[in-house]
Amino acid sequence: EAQVTQNPRYLITVTGKKLTVTCSQNMNHEYMSWYRQDPGLGLRQIYYSMNVEVTDKGDVPEGYKVSRKEKRNFPLILESPSPNQTSLYFCASSLARGDYEQYFGPGTRLTVT
Amino acid sequence: GENVEQHPSTLSVQEGDSAVIKCTYSDSASNYFPWYKQELGKGPQLIIDIRSNVGEKKDQRIAVTLNKTAKHFSLHITETQPEDSAVYFCAAKASGGGSYIPTFGRGTSLIVHP
């Protein structure tokens, strides 16, 4: 089954404790991205990657890091999480750059206390 | 950069009624306009999209219209059903020119009452 998977689905952590949210897709997609969803603000893009070793900032990249060492994986790293990063996070992938459908993962709800 | 405004933020209708969600965008270079549906506890899923060379597109009970002059596009759902209840997002994106980032609206929570 074609899908985007994220882990963990739920995470509660404390300020400053480094964490990684994994994202994997099995569709051989070139393009992957991370979004955060906050009430009243919709979906805002954090980082995106057009291919292996090619990443770039989205609209709200501060406090986040990403890497794309393999085509299928695109982890999101929070080196020192803060309470304002409490949010619902989505990973997405699409075939390539251009007007292609984005396939979203199921989401990771992160709470930073 | 692009700015997408979406209205209303909440829409409540009776089963069988029609629902309309409207979006405006600011960047005249935008030429691709997808709509996503997000059901509770799930990620958004593409339901329909339209490109700037088309004024209207239909898929069964859903349709999208685009007015490039007014920078306005809308989602129309006819004969609504309870399973249409979800959050709907519009988005706008310019192809080419190095722009790979779609800009999403803030979402509309559609509630269909049986």
Side-chain angles (χ1 to χ4, degrees):
Chain A
E1 179 190 356
Q3 60 182 350
V4 178
T5 57
Q6 294 179 228
N7 283 291
R9 293 290 312 278
Y10 301 90
L11 180 59
I12 301 174
T13 190
V14 296
T15 299
K17 186 176 181 181
K18 181 180 179 180
L19 66 91
T20 300
V21 183
T22 64
C23 172
S24 183
Q25 50 92 5
N26 62 358
M27 296 169 280
N28 201 35
H29 284 173
E30 285 187 356
Y31 183 93
M32 298 185 74
S33 59
W34 276 102
Y35 293 86
R36 61 178 289 173
Q37 183 178 12
D38 301 290
L41 297 179
L43 292 160
R44 295 181 293 167
Q45 194 173 65
I46 303 169
Y47 268 95
Y48 64 95
S49 168
M50 287 181 285
N51 214 324
V52 175
E53 301 293 0
V54 182
T55 63
D56 207 347
K57 297 177 181 179
D59 294 326
V60 288
E62 294 77 21
Y64 304 95
K65 285 177 57 178
V66 293
S67 69
R68 187 91 180 274
K69 291 182 169 47
E70 303 168 284
K71 198 171 186 179
R72 64 183 293 127
N73 297 323
F74 190 44
L76 179 70
I77 303 157
L78 284 72
E79 294 269 5
S80 183
S82 62
N84 64 12
Q85 292 177 299
T86 293
S87 187
L88 178 59
Y89 292 87
F90 289 101
C91 180
S93 73
S94 60
L95 183 63
R97 55 184 266 189
D99 302 338
Y100 294 98
E101 176 180 359
Q102 288 198 77
Y103 293 81
F104 284 82
T108 295
R109 184 162 300 276
L110 172 65
T111 302
V112 184
T113 61
Chain B
E2 176 66 277
N3 181 48
V4 176
E5 299 282 343
Q6 183 173 346
H7 298 280
S9 56
T10 304
L11 180 57
S12 184
V13 300
Q14 288 295 129
E15 183 177 359
D17 288 350
S18 294
V20 180
I21 302 170
K22 299 180 179 181
C23 290
T24 60
Y25 61 98
S26 61
D27 188 352
S28 57
S30 288
N31 54 11
Y32 175 62
F33 308 92
W35 286 87
Y36 285 81
K37 176 183 180 182
Q38 183 180 22
E39 297 177 342
L40 195 63
K42 297 183 179 180
Q45 185 173 10
L46 181 73
I47 55 171
I48 195 168
D49 57 12
I50 191 168
R51 289 169 173 77
S52 60
N53 58 345
V54 175
E56 183 177 3
K57 184 177 179 180
K58 289 183 179 179
D59 183 2
Q60 299 182 330
R61 293 186 299 107
I62 61 173
V64 57
T65 58
L66 171 65
N67 183 329
K68 283 221 74 177
T69 302
K71 297 194 186 117
H72 170 276
F73 57 114
S74 300
L75 178 71
H76 304 253
I77 306 174
T78 58
E79 301 173 22
T80 54
Q81 301 168 3
E83 51 264 40
D84 294 329
S85 296
V87 178
Y88 292 81
F89 292 98
C90 63
K93 178 176 170 295
S95 297
S99 174
Y100 311 115
I101 304 175
T103 300
F104 284 84
R106 297 189 175 192
T108 295
S109 177
L110 174 64
I111 303 166
V112 181
H113 298 281

